[in-house]
Structure formats: structure tokens, C-alpha cells
Amino acid sequence: MPDAYVPVARLSDLAPGEAIDVTLGDLELAVVRDADGGVHALEDRCSHDEIALSDGDVEGCTIECWKHGSQFDLRTGRPLQLPAVLPVRVFPVRVDEGRDEILVDPTAPPTP
């Protein structure tokens, strides 16, 4: 089976506590570096009001939607703060530090 991971950004361009938006075909992703330097990729739309999560604030291992304050766990996509009650999809990430690349598998099945 071929490797489905594709490069989406340079690790050196994403500081801890920062999020960027990435488009892969019809898929819009928020690629986020948490406060500890871990990298995550999730659907770039708040499940409450279709707002870009990549414009939100990263705190620890969460991202907060700037419009209504819903917070999502970067590892699971689960909402941690109302008004959102539905999770957002998360995608597997690999980091190739030698090539300074963040790679995402956009074909991964939806997370539960």
C-alpha cells in the first residue's frame, strides 16, 4: 500500500503555540504546533459555526475558536468547551525533522 502522507508545511515555519491553514484539494486543515512543540492536524472548521480554527488561540494542547470560545483537544478533536458539542476530524501527522517537513495523511478515516 502506498504511503498516503503528503508534505503540508515546513516545521521551522510553525512556532509552538501557532496554527496555520492548509488546503489539500477540497480538504481544509488547521496544522497546529502545541505549546510543547507537538504537531497536530485537524479539520479547519469549528463544528459549532463553521469558523476557521486556524485563526484561533492555541493553549497547551487545545485550540479555541475565536468567535464563540469553543475549545477542541488537538489530539482527539473533541470539544472541551461549549457551545460546540460535536468533534472535528483529526488527521495523522508525521514530522521529518531532517527535511524540515510536516506530513499529513489526508486519507485517514474519520476519528470516532
Side-chain angles (χ1 to χ4, degrees):
M1 178 179 242
D3 190 357
Y5 283 85
V6 295
V8 296
R10 296 203 165 282
L11 181 62
S12 59
D13 291 340
L14 191 62
E18 186 177 22
I20 58 172
D21 63 310
V22 173
T23 302
L24 293 175
D26 293 336
L27 189 60
E28 294 182 35
L29 302 176
V31 177
V32 184
R33 196 161 183 193
D34 66 32
D36 293 329
V39 181
H40 310 271
L42 59 154
E43 196 174 359
D44 195 18
R45 292 285 172 246
C46 176
S47 61
H48 168 252
D49 197 17
E50 298 293 316
I51 302 298
L53 290 175
S54 59
D55 291 334
D57 293 324
V58 178
E59 295 180 24
C61 203
T62 67
I63 191 163
E64 181 177 319
C65 177
W66 63 267
K67 188 164 185 180
H68 295 115
S70 291
Q71 291 178 336
F72 296 87
D73 185 306
L74 294 172
R75 298 162 294 205
T76 65
R78 290 193 171 97
L80 304 172
Q81 180 74 30
L82 294 173
V85 295
L86 298 174
V88 294
R89 187 174 172 195
V90 296
F91 298 86
V93 173
R94 284 195 327 219
V95 175
D96 184 339
E97 292 186 29
R99 291 188 174 172
D100 189 34
E101 287 184 326
I102 299 169
L103 301 109
V104 174
D105 179 356
T107 65
T111 51

